[in-house]
Amino acid sequence: MFSKSCEYAIKAMIFVAQKSKDEVRVSIKQIAEGIDAPESFIAKILQDLGKRKLINSVKGPNGGFYIDKLNLKSSIADIVKAIDGDGIYKDCVIGLKACSEKKPCPVHFEYKEIKKNLILMLETNTIADFKEKLDTNSFFLKNK
C-alpha cells in the first residue's frame, strides 16, 4: 500500500511523539531501534520530514529529534504525502495510467469504497491520536 519509507516515516513520527515529553530529544539510533529500522534509512527519512517541517531537530551533543504541539496535529495523510506524494488520491490500485469512472480497471469500483475509507482514516487521524493509542499499551509499533 505505502512505500517502506512511508511506513518507517509514520512509525518514526509516532515513536518520536511518544518520547517528546518535556522537550526530550530522540537520537536516530534510538528511533531506529524503537521501530526496528535501519539507521541510515531512518536518517534520510527524518531529514526529509524535517525539511517539510513535520518534525523538529536540534544538532549537537544534546541534539536529536522531537515533535512539538503543532507537529502533533499533523495528520497521517501529511506524512504519506510528504514521503509518497499524492498517489493514494489519484493512482489506480493496480497501476493503470488511465483508470477512471468512465474507463475503470477491473477492480476500480470495488476499491473505490476502500480507498475512500483509507483516505478518510489518513486525513482524520493525527500523530497525537496514534500516540494516545500507543500510550494505552493496547497497541504497538514494534514486534517483540
Side-chain angles (χ1 to χ4, degrees), residues 58-75:
V58 174
K59 293 182 181 181
N62 294 319
F65 291 89
Y66 67 98
I67 292 182
D68 61 20
K69 289 179 183 176
L70 181 63
N71 296 124
L72 282 173
K73 295 177 184 177
S74 297
S75 71

Side-chain angles (χ1 to χ4, degrees), residues 25-66:
R25 297 176 191 121
V26 190
S27 72
I28 289 172
K29 182 176 181 158
Q30 290 170 307
I31 298 165
E33 288 174 1
I35 65 170
D36 262 346
E39 272 185 60
S40 58
F41 204 43
I42 291 301
K44 176 70 174 120
I45 291 166
L46 292 175
Q47 183 180 38
D48 289 346
L49 293 172
K51 285 179 186 174
R52 296 175 188 271
K53 307 283 190 231
L54 291 170
I55 196 166
N56 303 300
S57 66
V58 174
K59 293 182 181 181
N62 294 319
F65 291 89
Y66 67 98

Side-chain angles (χ1 to χ4, degrees), residues 45-118:
I45 291 166
L46 292 175
Q47 183 180 38
D48 289 346
L49 293 172
K51 285 179 186 174
R52 296 175 188 271
K53 307 283 190 231
L54 291 170
I55 196 166
N56 303 300
S57 66
V58 174
K59 293 182 181 181
N62 294 319
F65 291 89
Y66 67 98
I67 292 182
D68 61 20
K69 289 179 183 176
L70 181 63
N71 296 124
L72 282 173
K73 295 177 184 177
S74 297
S75 71
I76 303 305
D78 293 332
I79 301 166
V80 172
K81 287 185 241 177
I83 301 297
D84 282 354
D86 63 354
I88 189 74
Y89 293 90
K90 60 183 184 175
D91 291 351
C92 171
V93 70
I94 62 172
L96 297 179
K97 291 183 182 179
C99 180
S100 67
E101 293 289 309
K102 292 181 180 177
K103 193 173 180 183
C105 74
V107 293
H108 179 83
F109 295 108
E110 291 176 72
Y111 184 66
K112 185 177 177 180
E113 191 66 25
I114 294 167
K115 185 177 186 176
K116 180 178 131 191
N117 290 330
L118 175 62

